[in-house]
């Protein structure tokens, strides 16, 4: 919400980018909570049939890593809004846009996990689990930093003016 409201203040960007970012964030939150619930259900009754537990485990991990679209839309909306800021002192630095684009690119391998059961493209492999997991964590920290930086800058400007 903070990022969406700050994006609305970027001159020259279409309002749709801020709305798209907000929708991507909301849908993305669902896709972060749902696998946690499913994996919790898989672990809730350890005496359950191993086949049922395995099925719940598979559903949980597939739901966690396959739905990349909301996160990619969110990142691209941020990047396009930042790149459209032509003011002398942009709201966000340009490298922030490129970092969002790279995060989106590195999320893409999650979309192929249904086709591989072992190896680097499996649900627990390097390209589907580890790289997106690390990049997602770094991306969230980057978004938090950018929102805070812009808010502190606005506070300083409002106090000075």
């Amino acid at each position: 919400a903070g990022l969406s409201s700050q994006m609305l203040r970027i001159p020259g960007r279409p309002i749709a980018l801020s709305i798209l970012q907000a929708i991507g964030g909301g849908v993305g939150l669902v896709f972060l909570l749902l696998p946690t619930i499913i994996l919790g259900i898989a672990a809730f009754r350890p005496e359950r049939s191993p086949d049922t537990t395995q099925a719940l485990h598979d559903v949980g991990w597939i739901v966690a890593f396959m739905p990349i679209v909301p996160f990619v839309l969110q990142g691209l909306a941020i990047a396009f809004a930042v790149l459209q800021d032509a003011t002398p002192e942009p709201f966000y630095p340009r490298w922030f846009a490129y970092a969002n684009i790279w995060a989106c690119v590195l999320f893409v391998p999650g979309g192929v996990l249904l086709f591989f059961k072992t190896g680097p493209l499996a649900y627990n492999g390097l390209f589907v689990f580890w790289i997106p997991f690390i990049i997602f964590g770094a991306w969230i920290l980057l978004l938090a930093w950018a929102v805070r930086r812009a808010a502190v800058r606005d506070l300083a400007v409002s106090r000075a003016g």
Side-chain angles (χ1 to χ4, degrees):
L3 187 56
S4 293
S5 65
Q6 288 176 349
M7 284 174 61
L8 285 171
R9 298 171 53 206
I10 295 174
R13 59 77 211 112
I15 192 170
L17 292 175
S18 182
I19 294 168
L20 185 61
Q21 188 277 330
I23 291 170
V27 172
L29 178 62
V30 170
F31 283 117
L32 290 176
L33 294 175
L34 188 59
T36 305
I37 293 167
I38 293 168
L39 291 169
I41 292 168
F44 185 68
R45 297 199 190 276
E47 70 277 1
R48 172 183 299 141
S49 152
D51 290 338
T52 304
T53 302
Q54 179 66 49
L56 288 169
H57 180 265
D58 290 345
V59 169
W61 284 112
I62 289 170
V63 170
F65 288 99
M66 192 172 170
I68 60 167
V69 173
F71 302 109
V72 170
L73 287 177
Q74 184 180 15
L76 291 178
I78 295 166
F80 291 144
V82 171
L83 290 173
Q84 290 180 359
D85 188 351
T87 59
E89 192 173 327
F91 210 74
Y92 294 111
R94 287 184 81 70
W95 64 262
F96 180 63
Y98 298 119
N100 273 278
I101 292 169
W102 271 110
C104 292
V105 168
L106 294 170
F107 292 156
V108 169
V112 301
L113 76 93
L114 286 179
F115 303 105
F116 301 91
K117 290 188 175 62
T118 61
L121 292 173
Y123 81 95
N124 60 351
L126 177 67
F127 295 114
V128 172
F129 180 83
W130 291 105
I131 290 175
F133 181 73
I134 292 167
I135 294 301
F136 184 77
W139 184 58
I140 293 298
L141 291 174
L142 179 66
L143 294 178
W145 169 84
V147 168
R148 183 184 182 286
R149 178 182 174 268
V152 167
R153 186 179 110 183
D154 283 352
L155 184 62
V157 167
S158 67
R159 285 185 179 169

